Amino acid sequence: ALSANQWWLSERQGKLEDGLCRLRQGGRTPQLFLYDVTSTYLVWNKNAFGDYGYSRDGNKGKKQIVVGLLCDEEGEPVSTEVFRGNTADAATFASQVRKAAERFGCRRVTFVGDRGMLRSGQIEQLSREGFHYITAITKPQIKALVARGVIQMDLFEEELSEVEEGGVRYILRRNPCRAEEMAATRADKQRCVERLVEKQNDYLRHHPRARVSTAQTRVREKIERLRIGVWLEVQAKEKTLRLCVDERALQEVSRLDGCYVIKSDLPKDVASKETLHDRYKDLAEVEQAFRTCKTVHLELRPVHVRTAPSTRAHALVVMLAYMIRRELSRA
C-alpha cells in the first residue's frame, strides 16, 4: 500500500504543486523564488538517484541524493525536485527556470540563490527567459572588482552602500560582528598551533636524538590543515621551533573580514538596495526548511526507498509535511 501511494504521488506531483501554488497565490503568478539544494544519505546503495558526491551530512562513505527546494518570497515551499547524488548545485538550476516559465507561467520573476548556485551560466539562462536574479559574489570576485576600481574598500560600512556597472548593481556591507568572529577564529587557530609548537619543543628538549625536521613537519601539516599557511609559518633554529607571522599577508587576508557583496540586475525603480539585501537574506528561510526537514521530526533522511518514483514521492511528502507544520505554527 505504501508503494502504491508513493507511485500515485509521484505521478501527480506536478499537478499537486501547481494547485497548491495557485491556491496560495490567489491566482497570481509568483514574482520571486528562493532556491537552494541539500543532500541526504541513503540506507541502500541501489537507489535510482544514488551516487557519491559532496556530503552535507558528513557521511562521506555513503551514497546520497541531492534535493532542490523552490520557495516563494515568503519562504513557502512551491516545488521540490530530486537529483543524482553527484549533481553540482548550479547544475540543478536549469530545471527550476523551466519550471517557473512553463509550469507556473511566470513572465517577470526574480530568482534568489547563493553564490554557489547563480553563476554566469545560470544568470545567462535567466536573462534568456527575461527573468532577474539576486545573488552574492565570492571573495576573489570582490577582490577583482576592487582591483578594477569598480568598488572601493572604504564603501564597506555597517550601513549599505551601492555601486552600479553595466546594468549590474552591487550592494556592499561590512558586518562588524562577523568580522570579529573571523578575527577570533584566526587567533584561535594560531593559539592551537602555538600549543603544538610548545609540545614539540618540549619533546625535542627531552629527547636529544629526536629530529627537528620531523617536529617541524608535524607543525607544518597542522598549519596546512587549518588553512593559515598564507600568513603563518614554522621555522627551526638548532633544536627549537618558532612561529613567524607574516603581518603583511595577515593584513591582506583580514582586509575583507565581514565584507560581502550582493549582486542583482533588478532596476532601482523596482527594488531598493535595502530590498535586494533583505531578499537575499531571505534564503535563510530555505535553509531553515532543510534543517527542519532533516533534523527535527519530518525525516527526510535517511532515505530507505530505492526507485525513482518512490524517492520523488518521499521528498514530496516531506515538503507537504513541512507546509502543514508552517501552517500549524502560524495558527
Side-chain angles (χ1 to χ4, degrees):
L2 177 61
S3 178
N5 287 336
Q6 289 171 338
W7 279 76
W8 186 92
L9 280 171
S10 179
E11 290 176 350
R12 292 160 178 80
Q13 179 175 355
K15 291 182 179 179
L16 287 170
E17 291 176 343
D18 295 352
L20 288 170
C21 182
R22 284 194 301 270
L23 182 65
R24 173 170 172 74
Q25 297 289 333
R28 67 181 181 88
T29 57
Q31 298 300 305
L32 185 143
F33 287 113
L34 308 170
Y35 180 65
D36 205 354
V37 300
T38 191
S39 61
T40 187
Y41 65 93
L42 300 170
V43 174
W44 314 106
N45 280 337
K46 293 184 179 180
N47 184 280
F49 296 100
D51 213 329
Y52 297 104
Y54 171 67
S55 175
R56 297 165 179 82
D57 296 323
N59 289 277
K60 295 183 179 180
K62 294 184 177 180
K63 287 185 177 181
Q64 64 177 19
I65 62 172
V66 170
V67 180
L69 183 63
L70 195 65
C71 295
D72 65 16
E73 59 268 25
E74 296 182 17
E76 190 73 26
V78 173
S79 177
T80 186
E81 189 166 350
V82 181
F83 303 90
R84 287 195 65 84
N86 61 349
T87 308
D89 292 4
T92 70
F93 190 71
S95 61
Q96 310 309 309
V97 178
R98 289 195 299 270
K99 198 179 295 181
E102 297 171 9
R103 273 184 45 191
F104 298 120
C106 299
R107 293 295 174 262
R108 304 292 291 181
V109 72
T110 301
F111 270 85
V112 186
D114 65 23
R115 55 181 61 87
M117 183 70 63
L118 293 183
R119 301 177 182 176
S120 57
Q122 288 68 48
I123 288 173
E124 289 175 6
Q125 289 176 346
L126 291 173
S127 179
R128 287 195 295 269
E129 294 290 344
F131 294 168
H132 296 283
Y133 65 88
I134 303 172
T135 187
I137 64 176
T138 63
K139 288 291 177 65
Q141 290 172 325
I142 295 175
K143 291 179 179 178
L145 290 175
V146 172
R148 286 171 45 209
V150 176
I151 60 178
Q152 292 76 42
M153 288 303 301
D154 57 9
L155 293 175
F156 286 100
E157 300 289 346
E158 189 169 357
E159 297 297 322
L160 296 175
S161 59
E162 180 177 347
V163 173
E164 185 172 356
E165 183 194 41
V168 177
R169 298 168 63 191
Y170 298 100
I171 313 303
L172 291 67
R173 183 174 183 259
R174 182 191 293 273
N175 184 334
C177 295
R178 179 60 180 150
E180 291 176 4
E181 289 174 2
M182 296 177 74
T185 298
R186 274 194 299 271
D188 286 343
K189 289 181 178 180
Q190 182 174 342
R191 283 192 291 269
C192 180
V193 178
E194 287 171 349
R195 288 193 294 269
L196 179 60
V197 169
E198 290 175 5
K199 181 179 178 181
Q200 293 299 317
N201 281 335
D202 184 65
Y203 185 86
L204 290 170
R205 281 193 298 271
H206 291 88
H207 298 80
R209 299 180 66 180
R211 292 184 178 183
V212 179
S213 60
T214 302
Q216 189 176 15
T217 298
R218 291 195 183 105
V219 176
R220 282 176 177 163
E221 289 174 350
K222 184 72 171 181
I223 290 173
E224 290 303 313
R225 283 198 300 272
L226 294 176
R227 299 182 180 181
I228 55 177
V230 173
W231 54 272
L232 187 67
E233 65 173 339
V234 59
Q235 296 179 349
K237 187 176 182 180
E238 296 179 353
K239 291 279 287 184
T240 304
L241 302 179
R242 68 185 183 93
L243 290 176
C244 296
V245 177
D246 186 335
E247 294 294 345
R248 187 174 180 178
L250 178 58
Q251 185 178 6
E252 178 63 25
V253 168
S254 61
R255 185 168 65 144
L256 290 175
D257 281 2
C259 295
Y260 59 92
V261 176
I262 294 168
K263 173 182 176 182
S264 178
D265 65 343
L266 275 172
K268 289 183 178 180
D269 60 352
V270 174
S272 66
K273 61 179 182 288
E274 291 80 11
T275 299
L276 295 181
H277 179 269
D278 292 347
R279 293 295 77 76
Y280 183 76
K281 290 298 182 180
D282 285 342
L283 277 177
E285 293 277 356
V286 189
E287 295 169 1
Q288 177 61 41
F290 281 136
R291 281 194 294 271
T292 302
C293 291
K294 292 172 69 172
T295 62
V296 188
H297 305 296
L298 303 186
E299 298 183 351
L300 175 64
R301 68 181 183 189
V303 177
H304 294 270
V305 294
R306 298 188 183 189
T307 67
S310 294
T311 307
R312 293 192 190 98
H314 173 66
L316 176 61
V317 166
V318 172
M319 186 191 86
L320 295 173
Y322 177 67
M323 294 173 72
I324 293 172
R325 184 189 180 281
R326 280 175 61 94
E327 191 63 32
L328 291 173
S329 179
R330 281 192 291 267

